[in-house]
Amino acid sequence: MDVLTDLLQRSRARGAAFSHSTARGAWGVQFPAGAKLAIHGLLGGEAFAWTDDAGRSRHVLSGDIILVRGPVEQFMAHAPGAEVIPFVGQPSSGPPGGARRMVFGTESGNPTTFFCGAYTFEGELCAGLLAGLPDLTVVRSRAGSSLRAALDLFAGELLGDAPGQQALLDSLLDVILVQALREQLATDVQAAPAWFRAMDDPAVGAALRAVHAAPARAWTVADLAAEVSLSRATFARRFTALLGVAPLSYVADWRMALAREQLRDGASGLAAVARSLGYASEFSFAAAFKRHHGTSPGRWRTAATPL
């Protein structure tokens, strides 16, 4: 269990491919600001994309993936600062249960084609997943890369109208998201979250995978060091240098993050939450939670539950 997979699964990332657009001539689109993560892919042509400042727009080309960490308004157009129209409410066509097909601009000329999707995440674990992304990121898919192959497959499916199209597009969008995140985080390693940088270290990465695979295990520094065949002292120094926290602090922080997610869901009682995270009793879990958060799990759940 690597950390990226764990965060994606536990954040319950849900995406949908909701449009395939063709634009010609002078055109510009303003996308809504609601999604925590929006994804746009240039399938042909070129465009400019920006969020709050058109002066910092990015020139995007065929094969580029745009990731927008929201919620922010986002824009795409034939030129920086071009006049835009709202994306929401524009006429669309397409087969029932398939991607919406939209047209922007009125002039003739070479088309720019792009798809758009949006992701929702439940809870707060997505913060660690998206922490390494700026508001707007352009990921350039290399020829022959797995990202480019997935993008080509996605583009081909968008042009069809076979049964089950939307389900297949949603699945392919998930593939594109994982590959784009992986490429972006690896490209800008210094801006990536500490857990991502640490995954490149053979020992610390293996320890992180062990913790995420079995968060309920009663880990000790000696246990983790033995997992990666290092002495306790060497392992603890390396882990702390890469993550910025001691090994058992990381374990406790991760358990508390998982506890908050379960408490927020409201489906499990405190005893069940305690058991799932390896605590001997509801009382030992409550004591650990209060030390970490300054309040009891019951009160935290009440405050975090929407009315």
Side-chain angles (χ1 to χ4, degrees), residues 6 10 210-219 251 254-255 258 276-278:
D6 202 18
R10 292 186 186 277
V211 169
H212 282 256
R217 180 173 165 180
W219 291 106
V251 173
W254 181 237
R255 283 179 177 161
L258 298 181
S276 73
L277 297 175

Side-chain angles (χ1 to χ4, degrees), residues 207-208 210-211 219-229 235 239 247-248 251:
L208 287 175
V211 169
W219 291 106
T220 66
V221 176
D223 291 334
L224 290 168
E227 285 276 335
V228 298
S229 302
F235 168 74
F239 190 102
L248 295 190
V251 173

Side-chain angles (χ1 to χ4, degrees), residues 49-135:
W50 67 93
T51 52
D52 59 335
D53 181 5
R56 296 191 297 116
S57 63
R58 300 288 303 276
H59 189 201
V60 288
L61 306 172
S62 179
D64 287 352
I65 301 294
I66 306 164
L67 300 175
V68 183
R69 179 169 56 86
V72 295
E73 290 184 339
Q74 49 210 270
F75 307 86
M76 193 184 303
H78 74 284
E83 184 177 349
V84 299
I85 61 174
F87 179 87
V88 176
Q90 296 302 313
S92 64
S93 61
R100 296 168 60 195
R101 296 176 182 173
M102 309 181 71
V103 176
F104 298 99
T106 57
E107 303 172 19
S108 61
N110 294 327
T112 292
T113 57
F114 55 92
F115 72 82
C116 301
Y119 272 84
T120 59
F121 299 84
E122 297 182 25
E124 62 187 46
L125 293 181
C126 67
L129 175 64
L130 304 180
L133 297 178
D135 285 349

